[in-house]
């Protein structure tokens, strides 16, 4: 019996690892999540019965005990950095130099990922060690952390000794997903990876859903298997390693320049951080003969895109109060030109972040535009002799109330704080919430100060007389505003939930809550365990929801809204015809549609049981493309994903939409 049980464990382990490979590496699931979970639970039960856990069991991906420290690892060969260029003339010189040694050479072009370099060793087909690059000679042993990364195979087909290099990365989608489950948001993908892999608790690594993208073979027992970079790339893929989406073979500067132009135009919209391209001589034997300088291989170069990280002087720190009362720091820096924009302000997460980065006023700091969107201070570059410490605020910068510290964050708990309440109102009326046309931040601030609009319900008591006394408010503007307020009185449940401004509950979580519970009262009555069962709702957000709906002031505010005529629509029962062509499909919208607004198309897709996702990947089923569709359309074409226009969309949904 025990023999049969162990055999079943082996079968389940092999099957689940195959499913994981298709899901995490190929990004083409071949089994439903529910079916995977059933088999996974069966494996856990069998492991408990037998006390045997196979080395490559997927149950080991969750991470083990907290480590006491990192062991040092001496690399078998020195790990070199790459020489860099940021213009075509530098690239052309590199190709000319290589062709001087080996005329008519071929070169491979791959992404230069912006993460943490990982060196993995396999023996007898098993992962035996993973380490960071460190100084190129000595790194840190992060084997237990890397074992939690589901796209890294614990066993491979090749049985010879193998050492390979890759980059630890996190997709923008997974970073956003992680941030929905935590109060201490991570705003930088690069730091999120380094912090996860260099965490002594492997369970924390597992929570961030990292990947390792492999791109180099450092050593292999049978070098004849990989005489070129092309064959090395194919070898990695055949052994089920995750590899980069970009792999091109070129012979001339002009060919590589075309790839650079294409990637440079879409890099900000990729789901993963890159900071350039890596160009390598394809022939491995030729590489050995060309050799290295003291720092770089002579046969490879990194083409760097426009800098995304520069230094500037930290001049001051401003503290702002958000709609939840969280008081967050904004850094004012000496203006710099960074990634095509003038940057004079940068984000700081919280006061703990300031202390951890050892930041001081008047000092030189590193500033980075994360994915070319969010300028952020990464750390101190050089401390000035006139540097001054950044003081932790004790009182609210708006209302001067005593601040409260909760974990790493600082809050203003004064219910009458004007900055907090104005920001709450601005969020409440926004497009994805109550969608009151004609109201913007400036008008909200005027209404707050001049018309005593302090709560959500106060908006619905405004009259023509109240508004006509305001400067710049003429009859047409007043009528339009009052009309917009009236139209907003019958919101969808998910929009209303989003509008309430519960900490951590945004557009997606609001939709998930509405879909699950159907009515506001059901959500108010929900238990913590019911909330945690919703995808992407962790313990922190579940507690935020429960705390919000047990607060008498919040319940009174909802009751006041109902008294002034706000009637929340009950979520429709999900009686979806599962044979419709959009059911369970992942759809990407790109460009401008001639007829539909984006939110209208989204509503139709979701009503038919589909989901709208933000980026194109191999998991995308359909792309609805309008005018001026950009990089998403290009990527969909490259991945052979079905693409339709609005007329085709109308034809597709016609039998299922009234």
């Amino acid at each position: 019996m025990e023999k049969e049980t162990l055999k079943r464990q082996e079968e389940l382990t092999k099957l689940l690892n195959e499913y994981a490979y298709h899901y995490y590496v190929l990004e083409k699931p071949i089994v439903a999540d529910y079916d995977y979970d059933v088999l996974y639970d069966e494996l856990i039960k069998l492991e408990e019965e037998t006390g045997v856990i196979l080395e490559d069991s997927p149950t080991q991906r969750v991470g083990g005990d907290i480590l006491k420290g990192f062991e040092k690892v001496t690399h078998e060969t020195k790990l070199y950095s790459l020489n860099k260029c940021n213009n075509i003339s530098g690239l052309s010189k590199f190709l000319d130099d290589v062709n001087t040694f080996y005329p008519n050479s071929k070169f491979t072009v791959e992404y230069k990922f912006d993460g943490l370099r990982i060196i993995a060793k396999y023996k007898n087909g098993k992962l035996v060690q993973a380490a960071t690059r460190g100084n190129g000679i000595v790194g840190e042993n992060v084997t237990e952390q890397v074992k939690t990364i589901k796209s890294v195979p614990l066993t491979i087909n090749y049985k010879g000794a193998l050492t390979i290099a890759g980059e630890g990365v996190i997709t923008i989608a997974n970073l956003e997903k992680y941030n929905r489950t935590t109060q201490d948001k991570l705003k930088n993908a690069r730091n999120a990876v380094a912090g996860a892999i260099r965490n002594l608790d492997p369970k924390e690594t597992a929570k961030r859903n990292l990947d390792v993208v492999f791109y180099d073979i450092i050593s292999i027992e049978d070098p004849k298997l990989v005489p070129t970079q092309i064959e090395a790339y194919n070898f990695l893929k055949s052994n089920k390693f995750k590899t980069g989406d970009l792999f091109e073979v070129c012979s001339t500067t002009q060919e590589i320049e075309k790839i650079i132009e294409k990637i440079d135009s879409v890099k900000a919209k990729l789901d993963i951080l890159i900071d350039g391209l890596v160009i390598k001589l394809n022939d491995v034997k030729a590489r050995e003969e060309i050799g290295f300088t003291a720092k770089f291989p002579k046969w490879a170069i990194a083409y760097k895109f426009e800098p995304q990280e520069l230094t500037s002087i930290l001049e001051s720190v401003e503290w702002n109060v958000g709609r939840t009362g969280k008081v967050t720091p904004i850094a004012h820096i000496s203006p710099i030109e960074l990634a095509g924009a003038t940057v004079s302000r940068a984000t700081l997460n919280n006061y703990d972040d300031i202390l951890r980065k050892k930041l001081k006023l008047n000092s030189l700091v590193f500033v980075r535009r994360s994915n070319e969107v969010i300028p952020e201070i990464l750390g101190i570059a050089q401390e000035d002799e006139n540097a001054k410490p950044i003081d932790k605020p004790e009182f609210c910068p708006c209302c001067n109330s005593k601040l409260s510290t909760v974990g790493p964050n600082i809050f203003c708990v004064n219910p009458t704080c004007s900055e907090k309440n104005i920001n709450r109102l601005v969020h409440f009326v926004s497009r994805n919430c109550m969608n009151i046309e004609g109201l913007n931040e400036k008008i909200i601030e005027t209404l707050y100060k001049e018309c005593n609009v302090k709560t959500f319900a106060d908006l619905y008591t405004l009259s023509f007389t109240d508004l006509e006394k305001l400067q710049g408010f003429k009859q047409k503007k007043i009528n339009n505003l009052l009309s917009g307020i009236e139209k907003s009185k019958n919101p969808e449940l998910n929009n209303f939930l989003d509008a309430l401004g519960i900490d951590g509950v945004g557009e997606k979580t609001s939709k998930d809550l509405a879909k699950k519970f159907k009515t506001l009262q059901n959500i108010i009555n929900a238990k913590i365990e019911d909330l945690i069962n919703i995808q992407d709702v962790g313990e922190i957000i579940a507690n935020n929801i429960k705390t919000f709906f047990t607060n008498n002031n919040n319940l009174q505010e909802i009751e006041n809204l109902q008294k002034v005529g706000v009637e929340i629509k009950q979520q429709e029962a999900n009686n979806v015809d599962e044979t419709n062509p959009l059911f369970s499909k992942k759809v990407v919208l790109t460009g401008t549609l001639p007829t539909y607004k984006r939110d209208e198309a989204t509503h139709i897709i979701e009503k038919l049981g589909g989901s709208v996702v933000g980026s194109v990947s191999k998991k995308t089923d359909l792309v609805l493309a309008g005018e001026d569709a950009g990089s998403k359309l290009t990527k969909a074409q490259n991945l052979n994903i079905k693409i339709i226009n609005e007329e085709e969309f109308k034809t597709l949904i016609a039998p299922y939409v009234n």
Side-chain angles (χ1 to χ4, degrees):
M1 184 67 180
E2 186 175 340
K3 189 175 181 181
E4 291 179 3
T5 304
L6 288 171
K7 185 178 179 182
R8 178 59 177 163
Q9 278 185 237
E10 291 174 358
E11 291 173 352
L12 287 170
T13 297
K14 184 177 180 180
L15 190 61
L16 289 168
N17 284 336
E18 183 68 15
Y19 290 158
Y21 167 66
H22 279 82
Y23 187 93
Y24 294 105
V25 179
L26 299 182
E27 298 182 0
K28 290 184 177 180
I30 58 174
V31 66
D33 290 350
Y34 174 80
D35 296 328
Y36 180 95
D37 291 342
V38 169
L39 296 176
Y40 186 87
D41 291 342
E42 181 187 349
L43 179 58
I44 290 177
K45 187 176 180 181
L46 293 178
E47 288 177 345
E48 290 173 350
E49 288 178 7
T50 63
V52 176
I53 300 176
L54 300 175
E55 288 184 346
D56 58 342
S57 170
T59 64
Q60 300 309 292
R61 298 284 194 179
V62 296
D65 296 333
I66 298 176
L67 306 178
K68 294 181 180 178
F70 288 108
E71 297 176 356
K72 298 298 181 183
V73 172
T74 301
H75 299 300
E76 60 187 56
T77 58
K78 180 180 177 181
L79 303 175
Y80 289 83
S81 300
L82 286 175
N83 199 2
K84 302 174 181 65
C85 68
N86 55 12
N87 53 54
I88 299 303
S89 61
L91 175 65
S92 182
K93 183 180 184 304
F94 162 74
L95 264 65
D96 289 344
D97 288 346
V98 174
N99 277 311
T100 299
F101 286 98
Y102 285 88
N104 304 315
S105 290
K106 291 188 181 297
F107 300 87
T108 59
V109 182
E110 302 173 62
Y111 284 140
K112 184 179 184 298
F113 297 101
D114 196 4
L116 184 71
R117 196 171 183 189
I118 297 294
I119 311 302
K121 283 188 175 183
Y122 287 80
K123 289 183 179 178
N124 298 318
K126 298 175 182 177
L127 176 64
V128 294
Q129 182 181 282
T132 62
R133 178 187 180 276
N135 62 9
I137 298 172
V138 177
E140 292 176 323
N141 190 331
V142 289
T143 307
E144 295 308 311
Q145 287 80 357
V146 170
K147 280 183 175 179
T148 70
I149 300 174
K150 296 182 178 68
S151 58
V152 177
L154 301 179
T155 59
I156 60 175
N157 293 331
Y158 181 69
K159 303 306 177 187
L162 176 70
T163 303
I164 57 177
E167 197 87 359
V169 296
I170 185 171
T171 63
I172 305 304
N174 277 340
L175 179 62
E176 292 172 352
K177 183 177 180 181
Y178 176 82
N179 279 340
R180 289 197 293 269
T181 65
T182 180
Q183 285 185 331
D184 194 11
K185 312 296 184 189
L186 300 169
K187 295 188 177 180
N188 182 292
R190 185 186 191 186
N191 290 355
V193 173
I197 291 178
R198 298 194 72 258
N199 194 307
L200 289 170
D201 186 355
K203 289 186 175 67
E204 290 301 314
T205 311
K207 288 179 182 178
R208 295 194 190 176
N209 289 315
L210 306 183
D211 284 306
V212 178
V213 183
F214 289 98
Y215 46 73
D216 267 338
I217 294 178
I218 295 174
S219 67
I220 185 170
E221 193 170 310
D222 307 300
K224 291 181 180 179
L225 291 175
V226 288
T228 67
Q229 182 66 19
I230 296 170
E231 283 156 306
Y233 179 79
N234 291 332
F235 173 88
L236 291 170
K237 288 179 74 72
S238 67
N239 278 277
K240 300 185 177 180
F241 292 103
K242 192 176 186 73
T243 55
D245 290 338
L246 177 70
F247 189 88
E248 300 285 348
V249 182
C250 301
S251 299
T252 67
T253 302
Q254 290 75 19
E255 290 173 346
I256 299 174
E257 187 176 6
K258 287 181 181 178
I259 297 171
I260 290 170
E261 290 174 353
K262 178 181 177 183
I263 301 303
D264 196 17
S265 67
V266 301
K267 67 182 185 296
K269 299 178 182 178
L270 294 175
D271 196 30
I272 201 162
L273 281 186
I274 65 168
D275 58 2
L277 301 176
V278 177
I279 296 93
K280 304 173 192 169
L281 177 61
N282 184 45
D283 190 297
V284 172
K285 187 175 181 180
R287 293 179 186 177
E288 294 170 357
E289 295 184 22
I290 292 175
F292 301 80
T293 68
K295 295 182 178 180
F296 312 116
K298 295 179 182 179
W299 43 264
I301 197 167
Y303 182 93
K304 298 278 284 186
F305 293 126
E306 192 173 354
Q308 292 181 276
E309 184 175 310
L310 292 174
T311 55
S312 181
I313 300 296
L314 176 56
E315 296 178 343
S316 64
V317 173
E318 172 189 353
W319 296 86
N320 293 328
V321 187
R323 59 184 171 83
T324 64
K326 186 184 293 183
V327 181
T328 55
I330 296 292
H332 291 260
I333 60 175
S334 300
I336 52 175
E337 292 297 317
L338 184 57
T342 301
V343 174
S344 59
R345 289 156 56 94
T347 187
L348 293 164
N349 296 322
N350 47 51
Y351 191 70
D352 282 6
D353 193 40
I354 292 172
L355 295 178
R356 182 174 58 81
K357 293 174 179 175
K358 300 178 181 178
L359 301 177
K360 291 185 178 180
L361 300 178
N362 304 321
S363 292
L364 194 68
V365 294
F366 291 108
V367 184
R368 179 182 181 81
R369 291 194 76 190
S370 179
N371 209 28
E372 298 192 340
V373 177
I374 307 169
E376 180 183 18
I377 291 183
L378 297 180
I380 192 162
Q382 185 177 337
E383 185 174 314
D384 188 85
E385 59 182 11
N386 297 317
K388 297 179 182 178
I390 300 169
D391 295 326
K392 181 179 181 179
E394 295 183 28
F395 301 95
C396 176
C398 173
C399 66
N400 208 37
S401 298
K402 182 77 173 175
L403 295 173
S404 175
T405 300
V406 181
N409 298 311
I410 306 169
F411 289 88
C412 174
V413 295
N414 175 17
T416 63
C417 176
S418 60
E419 190 173 346
K420 177 171 70 173
N421 288 331
I422 287 170
N423 283 326
R424 286 185 74 227
L425 287 164
V426 169
H427 176 75
F428 181 80
V429 305
S430 63
R431 183 175 179 182
N432 289 328
C433 298
M434 299 301 280
N435 192 24
I436 302 179
E437 294 183 17
L439 279 180
N440 55 35
E441 186 173 354
K442 187 176 180 181
I443 293 175
I444 287 289
E445 190 172 344
T446 300
L447 295 176
Y448 187 91
K449 293 176 179 178
E450 304 294 334
C451 297
N452 203 34
V453 174
K454 300 294 191 285
T455 69
F456 300 151
D458 290 339
L459 285 166
Y460 294 91
T461 63
L462 287 169
S463 65
F464 193 97
T465 305
D466 294 324
L467 297 173
E468 67 177 349
K469 64 184 180 183
L470 301 176
Q471 185 177 357
F473 278 71
K474 304 299 182 184
Q475 182 174 346
K476 184 177 180 181
K477 183 175 182 178
I478 294 171
N479 287 334
N480 287 342
L481 180 54
L482 292 175
S483 175
I485 292 172
E486 187 65 28
K487 287 178 182 177
S488 74
K489 284 186 175 180
N490 197 211
E492 300 285 348
L493 175 57
N494 62 286
N495 297 119
F496 184 78
L497 286 171
D498 196 351
L500 292 176
I502 304 168
D503 194 14
V505 177
E507 184 179 355
K508 183 182 183 300
T509 302
S510 296
K511 287 180 179 178
D512 292 341
L513 287 167
K515 186 176 180 181
K516 170 74 174 177
F517 294 104
K518 303 294 187 290
T519 69
L520 180 63
Q521 194 58 49
N522 287 343
I523 297 171
I524 293 172
N525 296 337
K527 298 177 181 178
I528 290 286
E529 50 267 34
D530 296 327
L531 295 167
I532 291 176
N533 283 334
I534 296 175
Q535 187 177 4
D536 297 337
V537 174
E539 189 173 340
I540 292 172
I541 292 179
N543 278 309
N544 288 349
I545 297 168
K546 195 64 186 173
T547 300
F548 184 91
F549 287 118
T550 52
N551 182 297
N552 287 330
N553 290 331
N554 295 332
L555 294 176
Q556 185 62 57
E557 191 157 33
I558 292 169
E559 185 179 331
N560 290 342
L561 281 168
Q562 292 170 331
K563 286 179 179 177
V564 294
V566 174
E567 296 182 7
I568 307 153
K569 292 179 184 176
Q570 181 173 316
Q571 183 77 9
E572 296 176 11
N574 191 22
N575 297 321
V576 180
D577 180 353
E578 297 186 8
T579 65
N580 86 71
L582 292 179
F583 184 77
S584 78
K585 295 293 189 290
K586 291 182 173 64
V587 184
V588 170
L589 305 181
T590 181
T592 304
L593 299 175
T595 307
Y596 290 115
K597 291 181 180 178
R598 186 172 289 257
D599 54 356
E600 291 173 337
T602 298
H603 178 71
I604 292 170
I605 292 165
E606 291 177 346
K607 191 174 181 180
L608 293 175
S611 59
V612 174
V613 294
S615 59
V616 175
S617 72
K618 292 174 183 176
K619 297 177 186 177
T620 305
D621 297 298
L622 183 69
V623 170
L624 173 54
E627 297 173 4
D628 300 321
S631 61
K632 292 179 182 179
L633 177 60
T634 303
K635 186 171 183 179
Q637 290 167 337
N638 292 337
L639 293 174
N640 294 319
I641 293 167
K642 185 177 180 181
I643 300 165
I644 60 173
N645 58 30
E646 189 184 84
E647 288 305 312
E648 291 169 316
F649 178 66
K650 289 178 178 178
T651 303
L652 197 68
I653 65 174
Y656 309 95
V657 177
N658 295 330

